[in-house]
Amino acid sequence: MAEKFEDADIRVRRVYDAPEPADGARVLVDRLWPRGLSKADALLTEWCKDAAPSSELRRWYHHEGDRFGRFAERYRDELAGEAAQPALTRLRELAAEGPLTLLTATKEVGQSHVVVLLDVLRGGS
């Protein structure tokens, strides 16, 4: 299964983007529901809140670019904790089954928790 996961097709998109057939499993990985989006319009497979940073960490970071390095370290620590393991296991299962799209409401995806989560799912440290 690990071999299959290494080749898994995992992508990141904003939850506000129109769903595409190639998305596969669409999983929201934010702790809060996106503003102005109905659950019907989101077309989610799942909402995986426990893969998101803690509310405390999210508020501390507040998308201040100069804090991203420290935020990423702290978020990796959270993901390594016992509480996040079921969520990571579930995301890995979905990735092994076919395409997986991690969804976020974040405007600056490249400076968000999703890029850290993606790296962890792909085996990064």
Side-chain angles (χ1 to χ4, degrees):
M1 184 161 141
E3 255 183 69
K4 185 174 182 183
F5 178 71
E6 288 175 11
D7 298 329
D9 182 11
I10 306 174
R11 66 191 84 195
V12 173
R13 298 186 63 214
R14 292 196 69 225
V15 71
Y16 299 108
D17 295 340
E20 296 178 358
D23 284 347
R26 294 172 46 84
V27 180
L28 179 65
V29 291
D30 289 349
R31 194 159 298 272
L32 302 175
W33 186 260
R35 293 181 188 192
L37 183 68
S38 74
K39 290 186 180 184
D41 289 341
L43 292 176
L44 297 181
T45 304
E46 293 184 25
W47 181 10
C48 195
K49 296 178 194 178
D50 292 335
S54 65
S55 295
E56 176 188 49
L57 181 56
R58 181 181 47 81
R59 284 190 294 267
W60 172 82
Y61 176 47
H62 199 61
H63 293 282
E64 294 184 29
D66 60 331
R67 291 185 177 181
F68 184 73
R70 182 69 183 122
F71 165 79
E73 289 174 23
R74 290 176 62 184
Y75 180 41
R76 284 179 192 281
D77 289 344
E78 288 186 357
L79 290 173
E82 190 175 321
Q85 294 312 299
L88 292 175
T89 296
R90 179 63 183 142
L91 292 172
R92 287 182 176 118
E93 289 170 354
L94 289 168
E97 293 170 7
L100 170 63
T101 300
L102 304 176
L103 299 168
T104 182
T106 305
K107 289 179 185 175
E108 296 292 329
V109 174
Q111 291 265 299
S112 76
H113 71 286
V114 183
V115 295
V116 178
L117 177 58
L118 179 63
D119 186 55
V120 168
L121 289 172
R122 287 186 170 159
S125 55

PDB file of all heavy atoms in Angstrom, residues 31 48 50-52 75-92 117:
ATOM      1  N   ARG A  31     -10.683  23.842   9.695  1.00  0.00           N
ATOM      2  CA  ARG A  31     -11.421  23.620  10.932  1.00  0.00           C
ATOM      3  C   ARG A  31     -12.776  24.330  10.912  1.00  0.00           C
ATOM      4  O   ARG A  31     -13.741  23.869  11.518  1.00  0.00           O
ATOM      5  CB  ARG A  31     -10.594  24.086  12.130  1.00  0.00           C
ATOM      6  CG  ARG A  31     -11.151  23.588  13.439  1.00  0.00           C
ATOM      7  CD  ARG A  31     -10.130  23.599  14.553  1.00  0.00           C
ATOM      8  NE  ARG A  31      -8.986  22.748  14.330  1.00  0.00           N
ATOM      9  CZ  ARG A  31      -8.910  21.449  14.654  1.00  0.00           C
ATOM     10  NH1 ARG A  31      -9.938  20.849  15.173  1.00  0.00           N
ATOM     11  NH2 ARG A  31      -7.815  20.772  14.432  1.00  0.00           N
ATOM     12  N   CYS A  48     -12.713  16.950   7.016  1.00  0.00           N
ATOM     13  CA  CYS A  48     -11.715  16.373   7.919  1.00  0.00           C
ATOM     14  C   CYS A  48     -11.130  17.479   8.800  1.00  0.00           C
ATOM     15  O   CYS A  48      -9.994  17.916   8.594  1.00  0.00           O
ATOM     16  CB  CYS A  48     -10.644  15.671   7.085  1.00  0.00           C
ATOM     17  SG  CYS A  48      -9.597  14.579   8.024  1.00  0.00           S
ATOM     18  N   ASP A  50     -10.060  17.421  11.821  1.00  0.00           N
ATOM     19  CA  ASP A  50      -8.934  17.053  12.673  1.00  0.00           C
ATOM     20  C   ASP A  50      -7.588  17.065  11.958  1.00  0.00           C
ATOM     21  O   ASP A  50      -6.550  16.900  12.593  1.00  0.00           O
ATOM     22  CB  ASP A  50      -9.186  15.685  13.308  1.00  0.00           C
ATOM     23  CG  ASP A  50     -10.332  15.728  14.306  1.00  0.00           C
ATOM     24  OD1 ASP A  50     -10.608  16.808  14.851  1.00  0.00           O
ATOM     25  OD2 ASP A  50     -10.959  14.675  14.534  1.00  0.00           O
ATOM     26  N   ALA A  51      -7.600  17.267  10.646  1.00  0.00           N
ATOM     27  CA  ALA A  51      -6.344  17.419   9.901  1.00  0.00           C
ATOM     28  C   ALA A  51      -5.919  18.886   9.843  1.00  0.00           C
ATOM     29  O   ALA A  51      -4.820  19.196   9.399  1.00  0.00           O
ATOM     30  CB  ALA A  51      -6.489  16.872   8.488  1.00  0.00           C
ATOM     31  N   ALA A  52      -6.779  19.762  10.297  1.00  0.00           N
ATOM     32  CA  ALA A  52      -6.504  21.205  10.268  1.00  0.00           C
ATOM     33  C   ALA A  52      -5.728  21.616  11.517  1.00  0.00           C
ATOM     34  O   ALA A  52      -5.770  20.928  12.537  1.00  0.00           O
ATOM     35  CB  ALA A  52      -7.821  21.975  10.196  1.00  0.00           C
ATOM     36  N   TYR A  75       2.675  23.229  13.268  1.00  0.00           N
ATOM     37  CA  TYR A  75       1.616  22.420  12.676  1.00  0.00           C
ATOM     38  C   TYR A  75       2.096  20.985  12.464  1.00  0.00           C
ATOM     39  O   TYR A  75       1.366  20.024  12.730  1.00  0.00           O
ATOM     40  CB  TYR A  75       1.154  23.058  11.367  1.00  0.00           C
ATOM     41  CG  TYR A  75       0.048  22.321  10.658  1.00  0.00           C
ATOM     42  CD1 TYR A  75      -1.029  21.759  11.334  1.00  0.00           C
ATOM     43  CD2 TYR A  75       0.072  22.185   9.278  1.00  0.00           C
ATOM     44  CE1 TYR A  75      -2.035  21.081  10.665  1.00  0.00           C
ATOM     45  CE2 TYR A  75      -0.936  21.521   8.599  1.00  0.00           C
ATOM     46  CZ  TYR A  75      -1.980  20.964   9.305  1.00  0.00           C
ATOM     47  OH  TYR A  75      -2.972  20.297   8.639  1.00  0.00           O
ATOM     48  N   ARG A  76       3.339  20.810  12.017  1.00  0.00           N
ATOM     49  CA  ARG A  76       3.896  19.459  11.885  1.00  0.00           C
ATOM     50  C   ARG A  76       3.889  18.741  13.236  1.00  0.00           C
ATOM     51  O   ARG A  76       3.613  17.541  13.313  1.00  0.00           O
ATOM     52  CB  ARG A  76       5.316  19.505  11.325  1.00  0.00           C
ATOM     53  CG  ARG A  76       5.390  19.776   9.855  1.00  0.00           C
ATOM     54  CD  ARG A  76       6.849  19.827   9.389  1.00  0.00           C
ATOM     55  NE  ARG A  76       6.943  20.366   8.064  1.00  0.00           N
ATOM     56  CZ  ARG A  76       6.684  19.680   6.954  1.00  0.00           C
ATOM     57  NH1 ARG A  76       6.322  18.428   7.037  1.00  0.00           N
ATOM     58  NH2 ARG A  76       6.799  20.254   5.780  1.00  0.00           N
ATOM     59  N   ASP A  77       4.204  19.481  14.303  1.00  0.00           N
ATOM     60  CA  ASP A  77       4.152  18.894  15.642  1.00  0.00           C
ATOM     61  C   ASP A  77       2.734  18.437  15.975  1.00  0.00           C
ATOM     62  O   ASP A  77       2.540  17.367  16.547  1.00  0.00           O
ATOM     63  CB  ASP A  77       4.640  19.888  16.699  1.00  0.00           C
ATOM     64  CG  ASP A  77       6.139  20.136  16.645  1.00  0.00           C
ATOM     65  OD1 ASP A  77       6.871  19.338  16.007  1.00  0.00           O
ATOM     66  OD2 ASP A  77       6.585  21.132  17.250  1.00  0.00           O
ATOM     67  N   GLU A  78       1.743  19.252  15.627  1.00  0.00           N
ATOM     68  CA  GLU A  78       0.353  18.852  15.864  1.00  0.00           C
ATOM     69  C   GLU A  78      -0.005  17.611  15.056  1.00  0.00           C
ATOM     70  O   GLU A  78      -0.656  16.695  15.567  1.00  0.00           O
ATOM     71  CB  GLU A  78      -0.609  19.996  15.509  1.00  0.00           C
ATOM     72  CG  GLU A  78      -0.594  21.143  16.485  1.00  0.00           C
ATOM     73  CD  GLU A  78      -1.641  22.200  16.200  1.00  0.00           C
ATOM     74  OE1 GLU A  78      -2.387  22.098  15.196  1.00  0.00           O
ATOM     75  OE2 GLU A  78      -1.723  23.150  17.002  1.00  0.00           O
ATOM     76  N   LEU A  79       0.419  17.566  13.809  1.00  0.00           N
ATOM     77  CA  LEU A  79       0.114  16.413  12.955  1.00  0.00           C
ATOM     78  C   LEU A  79       0.800  15.137  13.442  1.00  0.00           C
ATOM     79  O   LEU A  79       0.305  14.034  13.199  1.00  0.00           O
ATOM     80  CB  LEU A  79       0.502  16.697  11.503  1.00  0.00           C
ATOM     81  CG  LEU A  79      -0.350  17.729  10.779  1.00  0.00           C
ATOM     82  CD1 LEU A  79       0.237  18.044   9.406  1.00  0.00           C
ATOM     83  CD2 LEU A  79      -1.795  17.273  10.653  1.00  0.00           C
ATOM     84  N   ALA A  80       1.924  15.281  14.128  1.00  0.00           N
ATOM     85  CA  ALA A  80       2.632  14.121  14.667  1.00  0.00           C
ATOM     86  C   ALA A  80       1.966  13.595  15.935  1.00  0.00           C
ATOM     87  O   ALA A  80       2.243  12.468  16.362  1.00  0.00           O
ATOM     88  CB  ALA A  80       4.092  14.480  14.953  1.00  0.00           C
ATOM     89  N   GLY A  81       1.081  14.381  16.518  1.00  0.00           N
ATOM     90  CA  GLY A  81       0.416  13.986  17.752  1.00  0.00           C
ATOM     91  C   GLY A  81      -0.649  12.932  17.534  1.00  0.00           C
ATOM     92  O   GLY A  81      -1.144  12.712  16.429  1.00  0.00           O
ATOM     93  N   GLU A  82      -1.004  12.289  18.615  1.00  0.00           N
ATOM     94  CA  GLU A  82      -1.974  11.193  18.578  1.00  0.00           C
ATOM     95  C   GLU A  82      -3.340  11.640  18.057  1.00  0.00           C
ATOM     96  O   GLU A  82      -4.012  10.904  17.338  1.00  0.00           O
ATOM     97  CB  GLU A  82      -2.115  10.612  19.986  1.00  0.00           C
ATOM     98  CG  GLU A  82      -2.885   9.333  20.040  1.00  0.00           C
ATOM     99  CD  GLU A  82      -2.887   8.731  21.426  1.00  0.00           C
ATOM    100  OE1 GLU A  82      -1.846   8.779  22.106  1.00  0.00           O
ATOM    101  OE2 GLU A  82      -3.946   8.219  21.817  1.00  0.00           O
ATOM    102  N   ALA A  83      -3.754  12.845  18.388  1.00  0.00           N
ATOM    103  CA  ALA A  83      -5.090  13.321  18.000  1.00  0.00           C
ATOM    104  C   ALA A  83      -5.260  13.413  16.487  1.00  0.00           C
ATOM    105  O   ALA A  83      -6.363  13.220  15.972  1.00  0.00           O
ATOM    106  CB  ALA A  83      -5.371  14.673  18.645  1.00  0.00           C
ATOM    107  N   ALA A  84      -4.191  13.693  15.754  1.00  0.00           N
ATOM    108  CA  ALA A  84      -4.284  13.867  14.300  1.00  0.00           C
ATOM    109  C   ALA A  84      -4.138  12.556  13.531  1.00  0.00           C
ATOM    110  O   ALA A  84      -4.451  12.512  12.337  1.00  0.00           O
ATOM    111  CB  ALA A  84      -3.218  14.850  13.821  1.00  0.00           C
ATOM    112  N   GLN A  85      -3.714  11.498  14.175  1.00  0.00           N
ATOM    113  CA  GLN A  85      -3.412  10.255  13.458  1.00  0.00           C
ATOM    114  C   GLN A  85      -4.616   9.644  12.738  1.00  0.00           C
ATOM    115  O   GLN A  85      -4.476   9.223  11.587  1.00  0.00           O
ATOM    116  CB  GLN A  85      -2.745   9.245  14.384  1.00  0.00           C
ATOM    117  CG  GLN A  85      -1.360   9.683  14.851  1.00  0.00           C
ATOM    118  CD  GLN A  85      -0.480  10.175  13.708  1.00  0.00           C
ATOM    119  OE1 GLN A  85      -0.175   9.438  12.784  1.00  0.00           O
ATOM    120  NE2 GLN A  85      -0.086  11.443  13.766  1.00  0.00           N
ATOM    121  N   PRO A  86      -5.799   9.589  13.349  1.00  0.00           N
ATOM    122  CA  PRO A  86      -6.942   9.042  12.596  1.00  0.00           C
ATOM    123  C   PRO A  86      -7.250   9.845  11.326  1.00  0.00           C
ATOM    124  O   PRO A  86      -7.578   9.263  10.287  1.00  0.00           O
ATOM    125  CB  PRO A  86      -8.102   9.108  13.590  1.00  0.00           C
ATOM    126  CG  PRO A  86      -7.445   9.082  14.928  1.00  0.00           C
ATOM    127  CD  PRO A  86      -6.160   9.843  14.747  1.00  0.00           C
ATOM    128  N   ALA A  87      -7.130  11.157  11.395  1.00  0.00           N
ATOM    129  CA  ALA A  87      -7.390  11.997  10.224  1.00  0.00           C
ATOM    130  C   ALA A  87      -6.356  11.734   9.131  1.00  0.00           C
ATOM    131  O   ALA A  87      -6.703  11.616   7.946  1.00  0.00           O
ATOM    132  CB  ALA A  87      -7.391  13.472  10.616  1.00  0.00           C
ATOM    133  N   LEU A  88      -5.092  11.638   9.503  1.00  0.00           N
ATOM    134  CA  LEU A  88      -4.044  11.362   8.516  1.00  0.00           C
ATOM    135  C   LEU A  88      -4.223   9.979   7.905  1.00  0.00           C
ATOM    136  O   LEU A  88      -4.056   9.804   6.693  1.00  0.00           O
ATOM    137  CB  LEU A  88      -2.658  11.485   9.152  1.00  0.00           C
ATOM    138  CG  LEU A  88      -2.245  12.887   9.576  1.00  0.00           C
ATOM    139  CD1 LEU A  88      -0.895  12.842  10.297  1.00  0.00           C
ATOM    140  CD2 LEU A  88      -2.204  13.830   8.401  1.00  0.00           C
ATOM    141  N   THR A  89      -4.590   9.028   8.721  1.00  0.00           N
ATOM    142  CA  THR A  89      -4.842   7.677   8.210  1.00  0.00           C
ATOM    143  C   THR A  89      -5.976   7.707   7.195  1.00  0.00           C
ATOM    144  O   THR A  89      -5.874   7.096   6.122  1.00  0.00           O
ATOM    145  CB  THR A  89      -5.180   6.716   9.369  1.00  0.00           C
ATOM    146  OG1 THR A  89      -4.036   6.623  10.224  1.00  0.00           O
ATOM    147  CG2 THR A  89      -5.543   5.328   8.858  1.00  0.00           C
ATOM    148  N   ARG A  90      -7.040   8.412   7.514  1.00  0.00           N
ATOM    149  CA  ARG A  90      -8.182   8.485   6.593  1.00  0.00           C
ATOM    150  C   ARG A  90      -7.784   9.152   5.279  1.00  0.00           C
ATOM    151  O   ARG A  90      -8.158   8.692   4.199  1.00  0.00           O
ATOM    152  CB  ARG A  90      -9.340   9.239   7.244  1.00  0.00           C
ATOM    153  CG  ARG A  90     -10.541   9.373   6.351  1.00  0.00           C
ATOM    154  CD  ARG A  90     -11.124   8.016   5.998  1.00  0.00           C
ATOM    155  NE  ARG A  90     -12.252   8.164   5.082  1.00  0.00           N
ATOM    156  CZ  ARG A  90     -12.511   7.343   4.088  1.00  0.00           C
ATOM    157  NH1 ARG A  90     -11.771   6.272   3.875  1.00  0.00           N
ATOM    158  NH2 ARG A  90     -13.539   7.558   3.304  1.00  0.00           N
ATOM    159  N   LEU A  91      -7.031  10.242   5.343  1.00  0.00           N
ATOM    160  CA  LEU A  91      -6.597  10.917   4.120  1.00  0.00           C
ATOM    161  C   LEU A  91      -5.694  10.012   3.289  1.00  0.00           C
ATOM    162  O   LEU A  91      -5.803   9.985   2.059  1.00  0.00           O
ATOM    163  CB  LEU A  91      -5.897  12.233   4.455  1.00  0.00           C
ATOM    164  CG  LEU A  91      -6.809  13.318   5.033  1.00  0.00           C
ATOM    165  CD1 LEU A  91      -5.984  14.506   5.520  1.00  0.00           C
ATOM    166  CD2 LEU A  91      -7.852  13.766   4.018  1.00  0.00           C
ATOM    167  N   ARG A  92      -4.839   9.258   3.941  1.00  0.00           N
ATOM    168  CA  ARG A  92      -3.967   8.325   3.208  1.00  0.00           C
ATOM    169  C   ARG A  92      -4.790   7.222   2.545  1.00  0.00           C
ATOM    170  O   ARG A  92      -4.475   6.794   1.431  1.00  0.00           O
ATOM    171  CB  ARG A  92      -2.914   7.744   4.148  1.00  0.00           C
ATOM    172  CG  ARG A  92      -1.849   8.768   4.512  1.00  0.00           C
ATOM    173  CD  ARG A  92      -0.776   8.195   5.413  1.00  0.00           C
ATOM    174  NE  ARG A  92       0.256   9.181   5.640  1.00  0.00           N
ATOM    175  CZ  ARG A  92       0.571   9.672   6.829  1.00  0.00           C
ATOM    176  NH1 ARG A  92      -0.048   9.255   7.924  1.00  0.00           N
ATOM    177  NH2 ARG A  92       1.516  10.569   6.939  1.00  0.00           N
ATOM    178  N   LEU A 117       0.370  20.028   5.154  1.00  0.00           N
ATOM    179  CA  LEU A 117      -0.365  18.767   5.200  1.00  0.00           C
ATOM    180  C   LEU A 117      -0.037  17.897   3.986  1.00  0.00           C
ATOM    181  O   LEU A 117       0.205  16.695   4.121  1.00  0.00           O
ATOM    182  CB  LEU A 117      -1.863  19.041   5.282  1.00  0.00           C
ATOM    183  CG  LEU A 117      -2.789  17.832   5.274  1.00  0.00           C
ATOM    184  CD1 LEU A 117      -2.477  16.889   6.435  1.00  0.00           C
ATOM    185  CD2 LEU A 117      -4.241  18.290   5.307  1.00  0.00           C
TER     186      LEU A 117
END
